[in-house]
């Protein structure tokens, strides 16, 4: 049966659905262990998050070539999806550590669960992106401009990582962060957060380079 | 990204080839249409390999496609 909606309309619908699910999930995460409509808010948020990811991917894959606001290439879609996923993972880790404390033991059940979910989110998004890429451009070798953009973005990511690590080391060394619990565990959690931030900077730069080339 | 000091006539050569589309040219050269768009608008400097591929597609030498901006 032919859908009454056009491909761009279906794409917009899926993207809006994904954004709504993602937004609702983040709101529910803030509620913590409270219940919403008889369901634990954290569990509902997790389910919504898993719904948001495929909806976003379906929405992007339905965008017909040349019909998107800017004819997004696979490389640009990839950068935007990975940016969103990395920011989400960072926010998730941050909120978890805020609620249980920055010097939480890695064996703490709540932290272990959060980290496992974040890893699952990152791995799933990579797998879905690979499937999407195969569907969209087949098994052809990477486009040389995509490779060049990716290389420049990676250098932005490395520089961001270096700058953030230096700022953090100086802040800790000179005790600028009075509120910060100076323990090996807190430092390791923060370094993981910095790694996620530099990854986000890398994908943001990648998306920015693509956008700059189009305008 | 600053404007590169190399000009090209890829668009003119492509249009002279009986309305060869950007997608057709991209497929023949093994790149994406966006790379051809970036190339034609002077925002991207291709690799030597892509330059040779373009020259082969148009049946001209590289010097006839790319010129150093004076």
């Amino acid at each position: 049966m032919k859908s009454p909606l056009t491909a761009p309309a279906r794409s917009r619908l899926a993207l809006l659905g994904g954004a709504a699910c993602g937004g609702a999930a983040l709101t529910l995460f803030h509620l913590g262990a409270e219940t919403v409509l008889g369901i634990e808010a954290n569990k509902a948020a997790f389910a919504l998050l898993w719904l948001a990811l495929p909806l976003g991917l379906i929405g992007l894959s339905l965008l017909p070539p040349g019909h998107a606001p800017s004819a997004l290439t696979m490389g640009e879609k990839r950068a935007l999806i990975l940016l969103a996923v990395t920011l989400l993972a960072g926010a998730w880790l941050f909120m978890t550590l805020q609620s249980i404390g920055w010097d939480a033991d890695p064996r703490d059940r709540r932290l272990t669960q959060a980290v496992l979910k974040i890893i699952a989110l990152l791995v799933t998004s990579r797998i879905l992106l690979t499937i999407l890429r195969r569907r969209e451009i087949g098994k052809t070798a990477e486009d040389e401009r995509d490779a060049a953009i990716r290389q420049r973005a990676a250098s932005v990511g490395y520089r961001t990582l270096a700058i953030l690590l230096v700022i953090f080391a100086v802040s800790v060394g000179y005790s600028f962060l009075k509120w910060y619990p100076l323990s090996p565990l807190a430092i390791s959690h923060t370094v993981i957060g910095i790694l996620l931030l530099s990854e986000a900077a890398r994908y943001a730069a990648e998306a920015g380079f693509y956008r700059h080339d189009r305008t | 990204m600053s404007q590169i000091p190399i000009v090209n006539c890829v668009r003119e050569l492509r249009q002279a080839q009986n309305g060869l589309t950007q997608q057709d040219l991209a497929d023949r050269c093994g790149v994406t249409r966006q790379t051809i768009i970036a190339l034609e608008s002077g925002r991207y400097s291709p690799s030597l390999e892509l330059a040779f591929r373009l020259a082969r597609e148009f049946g001209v030498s590289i010097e006839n496609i790319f010129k150093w901006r004076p």
Side-chain angles (χ1 to χ4, degrees), chain B residues 4-18:
Chain B
I4 49 175
I6 299 168
V7 289
N8 69 72
C9 54
V10 172
R11 180 175 287 142
E12 292 75 15
L13 287 167
R14 179 176 61 76
Q15 287 168 346
Q17 298 238 333
N18 291 327

Side-chain angles (χ1 to χ4, degrees), chain B:
Chain B
M1 208 188 311
S2 57
Q3 198 76 4
I4 49 175
I6 299 168
V7 289
N8 69 72
C9 54
V10 172
R11 180 175 287 142
E12 292 75 15
L13 287 167
R14 179 176 61 76
Q15 287 168 346
Q17 298 238 333
N18 291 327
L20 181 72
T21 65
Q22 289 174 329
Q23 187 63 59
D24 291 337
L25 182 59
D27 291 342
R28 289 187 196 179
C29 295
V31 292
T32 60
R33 189 172 74 91
Q34 280 68 27
T35 296
I36 300 297
I37 293 170
L39 200 60
E40 287 187 354
S41 58
R43 288 180 182 275
Y44 177 63
S45 178
S47 66
L48 200 52
E49 184 186 340
L50 179 54
F52 270 109
R53 282 174 195 241
L54 286 164
R56 191 188 60 191
E57 285 304 326
F58 293 133
V60 295
S61 64
I62 289 180
E63 294 86 352
N64 291 97
I65 305 177
F66 300 96
K67 285 183 179 64
W68 183 258
R69 195 196 300 268

Side-chain angles (χ1 to χ4, degrees), chain A:
Chain A
M1 193 176 72
K2 201 171 182 299
S3 168
L5 291 173
T6 58
R10 273 182 286 159
S11 165
R12 270 196 293 272
L13 203 63
L15 286 173
L16 276 174
C21 286
L26 285 179
T27 312
L28 286 173
F29 270 125
H30 269 298
L31 296 175
E34 289 172 33
T35 56
V36 176
L37 300 171
I39 309 165
E40 199 181 311
N42 258 335
K43 286 182 180 164
F46 190 57
L48 280 170
L49 205 58
W50 283 113
L51 195 61
L53 192 67
L55 275 174
L57 285 171
I58 290 166
L60 285 173
S61 66
L62 283 176
L63 283 174
H67 207 102
S70 46
L72 299 174
T73 58
M74 185 59 218
E76 192 167 359
K77 286 180 195 174
R78 178 187 169 279
L80 288 170
I81 292 170
L82 287 176
L83 173 63
V85 168
T86 310
L87 285 176
L88 198 63
W92 201 340
L93 184 69
F94 180 80
M95 282 191 290
T96 307
L97 289 171
Q98 279 287 91
S99 65
I100 60 176
W102 280 83
D103 48 358
D105 194 306
R107 287 166 293 187
D108 186 305
R109 194 177 59 85
R110 290 166 298 176
L111 185 59
T112 313
Q113 279 186 349
V115 169
L116 284 176
K117 284 171 189 172
I118 288 170
I119 291 171
L121 177 73
L122 294 174
V123 171
T124 311
S125 63
R126 293 279 177 164
I127 293 170
L128 288 172
L129 275 170
T130 308
I131 295 168
L132 194 64
R133 185 181 187 275
R134 287 278 165 90
R135 239 194 74 190
E136 193 163 310
I137 53 174
K139 288 181 180 177
T140 51
E142 188 180 43
D143 179 80
E144 65 168 48
R145 187 172 137 270
D146 284 344
I149 286 178
R150 207 171 287 184
Q151 203 173 6
R152 285 169 57 210
S155 106
V156 171
Y158 289 133
R159 268 179 274 170
T160 308
L161 177 65
I163 291 167
L164 288 176
L165 283 176
V166 168
I167 290 172
F168 177 61
V170 170
S171 304
V172 169
Y174 287 93
S175 305
F176 289 150
L177 309 170
K178 297 286 182 202
W179 53 270
Y180 189 74
L182 194 60
S183 71
L185 285 173
I187 290 173
S188 67
H189 295 322
T190 311
V191 169
I192 291 171
I194 288 174
L195 278 171
L196 283 171
L197 270 179
S198 65
E199 276 288 283
R202 173 182 155 191
Y203 296 129
E206 206 173 311
F209 289 147
Y210 278 114
R211 184 157 286 273
H212 181 271
D213 269 9
R214 276 190 283 106
T215 50

